[in-house]
Coordinates of all heavy atoms in Angstrom, one line a residue:
Chain A
E1633 N -2.2 14.1 -13.4 CA -1.9 14.9 -12.2 C -2.3 14.2 -11.0 O -3.0 14.7 -10.1 CB -2.7 16.2 -12.3 CG -2.2 17.1 -13.4 CD -2.9 18.5 -13.4 OE1 -3.4 18.9 -12.4 OE2 -2.9 19.1 -14.5
V1634 N -1.8 12.9 -10.9 CA -2.1 12.2 -9.7 C -1.4 12.7 -8.4 O -1.9 12.6 -7.3 CB -1.6 10.7 -9.9 CG1 -1.8 9.9 -8.7 CG2 -2.4 10.1 -11.0
D1635 N -0.3 13.5 -8.6 CA 0.3 14.1 -7.5 C -0.5 15.2 -6.8 O -0.2 15.6 -5.7 CB 1.7 14.6 -7.8 CG 1.8 15.3 -9.1 OD1 0.7 15.3 -9.9 OD2 2.8 16.0 -9.4
E1636 N -1.5 15.6 -7.5 CA -2.4 16.7 -6.9 C -3.5 16.1 -6.2 O -4.3 16.8 -5.5 CB -3.0 17.6 -8.0 CG -1.9 18.3 -8.9 CD -1.2 19.4 -8.1 OE1 -1.9 20.0 -7.2 OE2 0.0 19.5 -8.2
L1637 N -3.7 14.8 -6.2 CA -4.8 14.1 -5.5 C -4.6 14.2 -4.0 O -3.4 14.3 -3.5 CB -4.9 12.6 -5.9 CG -5.4 12.3 -7.2 CD1 -5.5 10.8 -7.4 CD2 -6.7 12.9 -7.5
T1638 N -5.7 14.2 -3.2 CA -5.5 14.1 -1.8 C -5.0 12.8 -1.4 O -5.1 11.8 -2.1 CB -6.9 14.3 -1.1 OG1 -7.8 13.4 -1.6 CG2 -7.4 15.7 -1.4
K1639 N -4.4 12.7 -0.2 CA -3.9 11.4 0.3 C -5.0 10.4 0.3 O -4.8 9.2 0.0 CB -3.3 11.6 1.7 CG -2.0 12.4 1.7 CD -0.8 11.4 1.6 CE 0.3 12.1 0.8 NZ 0.9 13.3 1.3
D1640 N -6.2 10.8 0.7 CA -7.3 9.9 0.8 C -7.6 9.2 -0.5 O -7.8 8.0 -0.6 CB -8.5 10.8 1.2 CG -9.5 10.0 2.1 OD1 -9.0 9.1 2.7 OD2 -10.6 10.4 2.2
A1641 N -7.6 10.0 -1.5 CA -7.9 9.5 -2.9 C -6.8 8.6 -3.3 O -7.1 7.5 -3.9 CB -8.1 10.6 -3.9
Q1642 N -5.6 8.9 -2.9 CA -4.5 8.0 -3.3 C -4.6 6.7 -2.7 O -4.3 5.6 -3.3 CB -3.1 8.7 -3.0 CG -2.9 9.9 -3.8 CD -1.4 10.4 -3.7 OE1 -0.5 9.6 -3.4 NE2 -1.2 11.6 -3.9
H1643 N -5.0 6.7 -1.4 CA -5.2 5.4 -0.7 C -6.3 4.6 -1.3 O -6.2 3.4 -1.4 CB -5.4 5.6 0.8 CG -4.1 5.9 1.5 ND1 -3.2 4.9 1.7 CD2 -3.6 7.0 2.1 CE1 -2.2 5.4 2.4 NE2 -2.4 6.7 2.6
A1644 N -7.4 5.3 -1.7 CA -8.5 4.6 -2.4 C -8.0 4.0 -3.7 O -8.4 2.9 -4.1 CB -9.6 5.6 -2.6
L1645 N -7.1 4.8 -4.3 CA -6.6 4.3 -5.6 C -5.9 3.0 -5.5 O -6.0 2.1 -6.4 CB -5.7 5.4 -6.2 CG -5.2 5.2 -7.6 CD1 -6.4 5.1 -8.6 CD2 -4.3 6.4 -8.0
R1646 N -5.1 2.9 -4.5 CA -4.2 1.7 -4.4 C -5.1 0.5 -4.2 O -4.7 -0.6 -4.7 CB -3.2 1.9 -3.3 CG -3.6 1.5 -2.0 CD -2.5 1.7 -1.0 NE -2.7 0.9 0.2 CZ -1.9 0.9 1.2 NH1 -0.8 1.6 1.2 NH2 -2.2 0.2 2.3
R1647 N -6.2 0.6 -3.5 CA -7.0 -0.5 -3.4 C -7.7 -0.9 -4.7 O -7.8 -2.1 -5.0 CB -8.1 -0.2 -2.3 CG -9.1 -1.2 -2.1 CD -9.9 -1.0 -0.9 NE -10.8 -2.1 -0.8 CZ -12.1 -1.9 -0.6 NH1 -12.6 -0.7 -0.5 NH2 -12.9 -3.0 -0.5
T1648 N -8.2 0.1 -5.4 CA -8.9 -0.2 -6.6 C -7.9 -0.7 -7.7 O -8.3 -1.6 -8.5 CB -9.6 1.1 -7.2 OG1 -9.1 2.2 -6.5 CG2 -11.0 1.0 -7.0
M1649 N -6.7 -0.3 -7.6 CA -5.7 -0.7 -8.6 C -5.5 -2.2 -8.5 O -5.5 -2.9 -9.5 CB -4.3 -0.1 -8.3 CG -4.1 1.2 -8.9 SD -2.6 1.9 -8.2 CE -1.6 1.9 -9.6
E1650 N -5.5 -2.7 -7.3 CA -5.3 -4.2 -7.1 C -6.5 -5.0 -7.4 O -6.4 -6.0 -8.1 CB -4.9 -4.5 -5.6 CG -3.5 -4.2 -5.3 CD -3.2 -4.5 -3.9 OE1 -4.1 -4.6 -3.1 OE2 -2.0 -4.7 -3.5
K1651 N -7.6 -4.4 -7.1 CA -8.9 -5.2 -7.2 C -9.2 -5.4 -8.6 O -9.7 -6.5 -9.0 CB -10.0 -4.3 -6.5 CG -11.0 -5.2 -5.8 CD -11.7 -4.3 -4.8 CE -13.1 -4.8 -4.6 NZ -13.9 -3.8 -3.9
Y1652 N -9.1 -4.4 -9.5 CA -9.6 -4.5 -10.9 C -8.4 -4.8 -11.9 O -8.6 -4.5 -13.0 CB -10.3 -3.3 -11.2 CG -11.5 -3.1 -10.4 CD1 -11.6 -2.1 -9.5 CD2 -12.6 -4.0 -10.5 CE1 -12.7 -1.9 -8.7 CE2 -13.7 -3.9 -9.7 CZ -13.8 -2.8 -8.7 OH -14.8 -2.7 -8.0
V1653 N -7.4 -5.4 -11.4 CA -6.2 -5.6 -12.3 C -6.5 -6.5 -13.5 O -5.9 -6.4 -14.5 CB -5.0 -6.0 -11.5 CG1 -5.1 -7.5 -11.1 CG2 -3.7 -5.8 -12.2
A1654 N -7.6 -7.3 -13.3 CA -7.9 -8.2 -14.4 C -8.5 -7.5 -15.6 O -8.4 -7.9 -16.7 CB -8.8 -9.3 -13.9
T1655 N -9.3 -6.5 -15.3 CA -10.0 -5.8 -16.4 C -9.5 -4.5 -16.8 O -9.9 -4.0 -17.9 CB -11.5 -5.7 -16.1 OG1 -11.6 -5.1 -14.8 CG2 -12.2 -7.0 -16.1
C1656 N -8.7 -3.9 -16.1 CA -8.1 -2.6 -16.5 C -6.7 -2.3 -16.1 O -6.3 -2.9 -15.1 CB -9.1 -1.5 -16.1 SG -9.0 -1.0 -14.4
R1657 N -6.0 -1.6 -16.9 CA -4.7 -1.1 -16.5 C -4.7 0.4 -16.3 O -5.5 1.1 -17.0 CB -3.7 -1.4 -17.6 CG -3.4 -2.8 -17.9 CD -2.7 -3.5 -16.8 NE -2.5 -4.9 -17.0 CZ -3.5 -5.8 -16.9 NH1 -4.7 -5.4 -16.4 NH2 -3.3 -7.1 -17.1
I1658 N -4.0 0.9 -15.3 CA -4.0 2.3 -15.0 C -2.7 2.9 -15.4 O -1.6 2.3 -15.1 CB -4.4 2.5 -13.6 CG1 -5.7 2.0 -13.3 CG2 -4.3 4.0 -13.2 CD1 -6.1 2.0 -11.8
I1659 N -2.7 4.0 -16.1 CA -1.5 4.7 -16.5 C -1.6 6.0 -15.7 O -2.5 6.8 -16.0 CB -1.3 4.9 -18.0 CG1 -1.3 3.5 -18.7 CG2 -0.1 5.7 -18.2 CD1 -1.0 3.6 -20.1
L1660 N -0.6 6.3 -14.9 CA -0.6 7.5 -14.2 C 0.4 8.5 -14.8 O 1.4 8.1 -15.3 CB -0.2 7.3 -12.7 CG -0.9 6.2 -12.0 CD1 -0.3 6.0 -10.6 CD2 -2.3 6.5 -11.8
S1661 N 0.0 9.8 -14.8 CA 0.9 10.8 -15.3 C 1.2 11.8 -14.2 O 0.2 12.3 -13.7 CB 0.3 11.4 -16.5 OG 0.8 12.7 -16.7
V1662 N 2.4 11.9 -13.8 CA 2.8 12.6 -12.6 C 3.9 13.6 -12.8 O 4.8 13.3 -13.6 CB 3.2 11.5 -11.5 CG1 3.7 12.2 -10.3 CG2 2.1 10.6 -11.2
N1663 N 3.8 14.7 -12.2 CA 4.9 15.7 -12.3 C 6.1 15.3 -11.4 O 7.2 15.3 -11.8 CB 4.5 17.1 -12.0 CG 4.0 17.7 -13.3 OD1 4.3 17.3 -14.4 ND2 3.1 18.7 -13.2
S1664 N 5.8 15.1 -10.1 CA 6.9 14.8 -9.2 C 6.4 13.6 -8.3 O 5.3 13.6 -7.8 CB 7.2 15.9 -8.3 OG 6.3 16.0 -7.2
T1665 N 7.3 12.6 -8.2 CA 6.9 11.4 -7.5 C 6.9 11.6 -6.0 O 6.4 10.8 -5.3 CB 7.8 10.2 -7.9 OG1 9.2 10.7 -7.7 CG2 7.6 9.7 -9.3
S1666 N 7.4 12.7 -5.6 CA 7.5 12.9 -4.1 C 6.2 12.9 -3.4 O 6.0 12.6 -2.3 CB 8.3 14.2 -3.8 OG 9.5 14.2 -4.4
R1667 N 5.2 13.4 -4.2 CA 3.9 13.6 -3.6 C 3.0 12.4 -3.8 O 1.8 12.4 -3.4 CB 3.2 14.8 -4.2 CG 3.6 16.1 -3.6 CD 2.9 17.2 -4.1 NE 3.7 18.4 -3.9 CZ 3.4 19.6 -4.4 NH1 2.3 19.7 -5.2 NH2 4.1 20.6 -4.2
V1668 N 3.5 11.4 -4.4 CA 2.7 10.1 -4.6 C 3.1 9.2 -3.5 O 4.3 9.0 -3.2 CB 3.0 9.5 -6.0 CG1 2.2 8.2 -6.2 CG2 2.8 10.5 -7.1
I1669 N 2.1 8.6 -2.8 CA 2.4 7.7 -1.7 C 3.2 6.5 -2.1 O 3.0 6.0 -3.2 CB 1.1 7.3 -0.9 CG1 0.2 6.6 -1.8 CG2 0.5 8.5 -0.3 CD1 -1.0 6.0 -1.1
P1670 N 4.1 6.0 -1.3 CA 5.0 4.9 -1.7 C 4.2 3.7 -2.1 O 4.6 3.0 -3.0 CB 5.8 4.6 -0.4 CG 5.7 5.8 0.4 CD 4.4 6.5 0.0
A1671 N 3.0 3.5 -1.5 CA 2.2 2.3 -1.8 C 1.9 2.3 -3.3 O 1.8 1.2 -4.0 CB 1.0 2.2 -1.0
I1672 N 1.6 3.5 -3.9 CA 1.2 3.5 -5.3 C 2.5 3.4 -6.1 O 2.5 2.7 -7.1 CB 0.5 4.8 -5.6 CG1 -0.9 4.8 -5.0 CG2 0.4 5.1 -7.1 CD1 -1.7 6.0 -5.4
R1673 N 3.5 4.1 -5.7 CA 4.8 4.0 -6.4 C 5.2 2.5 -6.6 O 5.7 2.1 -7.7 CB 5.9 4.8 -5.7 CG 6.1 6.1 -6.3 CD 7.2 6.8 -5.7 NE 6.8 7.4 -4.4 CZ 7.7 7.7 -3.5 NH1 9.0 7.6 -3.6 NH2 7.3 8.2 -2.3
S1674 N 5.1 1.7 -5.5 CA 5.6 0.4 -5.6 C 4.7 -0.5 -6.4 O 5.1 -1.6 -6.8 CB 5.8 -0.2 -4.2 OG 4.5 -0.5 -3.7
R1675 N 3.5 -0.1 -6.7 CA 2.6 -0.9 -7.5 C 2.7 -0.6 -9.0 O 2.1 -1.3 -9.8 CB 1.2 -0.7 -7.1 CG 0.8 -1.5 -5.9 CD -0.6 -1.1 -5.4 NE -0.9 -1.9 -4.2 CZ -0.5 -1.7 -3.0 NH1 0.4 -0.8 -2.8 NH2 -0.9 -2.4 -2.0
C1676 N 3.5 0.4 -9.3 CA 3.6 0.8 -10.8 C 5.0 0.6 -11.3 O 5.9 0.7 -10.5 CB 3.2 2.2 -11.0 SG 1.6 2.7 -10.4
L1677 N 5.1 0.4 -12.5 CA 6.4 0.4 -13.2 C 6.6 1.9 -13.5 O 5.9 2.4 -14.3 CB 6.4 -0.5 -14.4 CG 7.6 -0.5 -15.3 CD1 8.8 -0.8 -14.5 CD2 7.4 -1.5 -16.4
G1678 N 7.6 2.5 -12.9 CA 7.9 3.9 -13.2 C 8.7 4.1 -14.5 O 9.6 3.4 -14.8
I1679 N 8.2 5.1 -15.2 CA 8.9 5.4 -16.4 C 9.3 6.9 -16.4 O 8.4 7.7 -16.4 CB 8.1 5.1 -17.7 CG1 7.9 3.5 -17.7 CG2 8.8 5.6 -18.9 CD1 7.1 3.1 -18.8
R1680 N 10.6 7.1 -16.4 CA 11.1 8.5 -16.2 C 11.1 9.2 -17.6 O 11.7 8.7 -18.5 CB 12.5 8.5 -15.6 CG 13.0 9.8 -15.3 CD 14.3 9.7 -14.4 NE 15.3 9.0 -15.2 CZ 16.3 9.6 -15.9 NH1 16.3 11.0 -15.9 NH2 17.2 9.0 -16.5
V1681 N 10.5 10.3 -17.7 CA 10.5 11.1 -18.9 C 11.2 12.4 -18.6 O 10.6 13.3 -18.1 CB 9.1 11.4 -19.5 CG1 9.2 12.0 -20.8 CG2 8.3 10.1 -19.6
S1682 N 12.5 12.5 -18.9 CA 13.2 13.7 -18.6 C 12.9 14.8 -19.7 O 12.6 14.4 -20.8 CB 14.7 13.5 -18.4 OG 15.2 13.0 -19.6
A1683 N 13.1 16.0 -19.3 CA 12.9 17.1 -20.3 C 13.9 17.0 -21.4 O 15.0 16.6 -21.2 CB 13.0 18.4 -19.5
P1684 N 13.5 17.4 -22.6 CA 14.4 17.4 -23.7 C 15.5 18.4 -23.5 O 15.3 19.5 -22.9 CB 13.5 17.8 -24.9 CG 12.4 18.5 -24.3 CD 12.1 17.9 -23.0
K1685 N 16.7 18.1 -24.0 CA 17.8 19.0 -23.9 C 17.6 20.2 -24.9 O 16.8 20.1 -25.8 CB 19.1 18.3 -24.3 CG 19.4 17.1 -23.5 CD 20.8 17.1 -22.9 CE 20.9 16.2 -21.8 NZ 20.3 14.8 -22.0
V1686 N 18.3 21.3 -24.6 CA 18.2 22.5 -25.5 C 18.4 22.2 -26.9 O 17.7 22.6 -27.8 CB 19.1 23.6 -25.0 CG1 19.1 24.8 -25.9 CG2 18.7 24.1 -23.6
D1687 N 19.5 21.4 -27.2 CA 19.8 21.1 -28.6 C 18.7 20.3 -29.2 O 18.3 20.5 -30.4 CB 21.1 20.2 -28.6 CG 22.3 21.0 -28.2 OD1 22.2 22.2 -28.3 OD2 23.3 20.4 -27.8
E1688 N 18.1 19.4 -28.4 CA 17.0 18.6 -29.0 C 15.8 19.5 -29.3 O 15.1 19.3 -30.4 CB 16.6 17.5 -28.0 CG 17.5 16.4 -27.9 CD 17.4 15.5 -26.7 OE1 16.8 15.9 -25.7 OE2 17.9 14.4 -26.7
I1689 N 15.5 20.5 -28.5 CA 14.4 21.4 -28.8 C 14.7 22.2 -30.0 O 13.8 22.3 -30.9 CB 14.2 22.3 -27.6 CG1 13.8 21.6 -26.3 CG2 13.1 23.4 -27.9 CD1 13.4 22.4 -25.2
V1690 N 16.0 22.6 -30.2 CA 16.3 23.4 -31.4 C 16.0 22.5 -32.6 O 15.4 23.0 -33.6 CB 17.8 23.8 -31.3 CG1 18.2 24.4 -32.6 CG2 18.0 24.8 -30.2
T1691 N 16.5 21.3 -32.6 CA 16.3 20.4 -33.7 C 14.8 20.3 -34.0 O 14.3 20.4 -35.2 CB 16.8 19.0 -33.5 OG1 18.0 19.1 -32.7 CG2 17.1 18.3 -34.8
I1692 N 14.0 20.1 -33.0 CA 12.5 19.9 -33.2 C 11.9 21.2 -33.8 O 11.1 21.1 -34.7 CB 11.9 19.5 -31.9 CG1 12.3 18.1 -31.5 CG2 10.3 19.5 -32.0 CD1 12.0 17.7 -30.1
L1693 N 12.3 22.3 -33.2 CA 11.8 23.6 -33.7 C 12.1 23.7 -35.2 O 11.3 24.2 -36.0 CB 12.4 24.8 -33.0 CG 11.9 25.0 -31.5 CD1 12.6 26.2 -30.9 CD2 10.4 25.1 -31.4
N1694 N 13.4 23.4 -35.6 CA 13.7 23.4 -37.0 C 12.9 22.5 -37.9 O 12.4 22.9 -38.9 CB 15.2 23.0 -37.2 CG 16.1 24.2 -36.9 OD1 15.7 25.3 -37.3 ND2 17.2 24.0 -36.3

Side-chain angles (χ1 to χ4, degrees):
Chain A
E1633 293 182 26
V1634 175
D1635 44 349
E1636 300 292 321
L1637 288 184
T1638 56
K1639 287 272 144 59
D1640 214 22
Q1642 294 193 24
H1643 279 290
L1645 185 61
R1646 84 177 200 184
R1647 175 167 182 231
T1648 15
M1649 272 170 116
E1650 276 180 343
K1651 218 164 149 190
Y1652 298 111
V1653 75
T1655 48
C1656 75
R1657 295 289 178 284
I1658 298 174
I1659 299 184
L1660 310 174
S1661 156
V1662 175
N1663 273 338
S1664 79
T1665 48
S1666 308
R1667 280 185 203 168
V1668 181
I1669 58 170
I1672 290 189
R1673 259 185 282 162
S1674 73
R1675 278 172 179 75
C1676 299
L1677 175 55
I1679 293 177
R1680 184 169 67 92
V1681 186
S1682 61
K1685 303 232 162 43
V1686 172
D1687 292 339
E1688 286 164 341
I1689 296 185
V1690 170
T1691 325
I1692 292 168
L1693 290 181
N1694 276 324

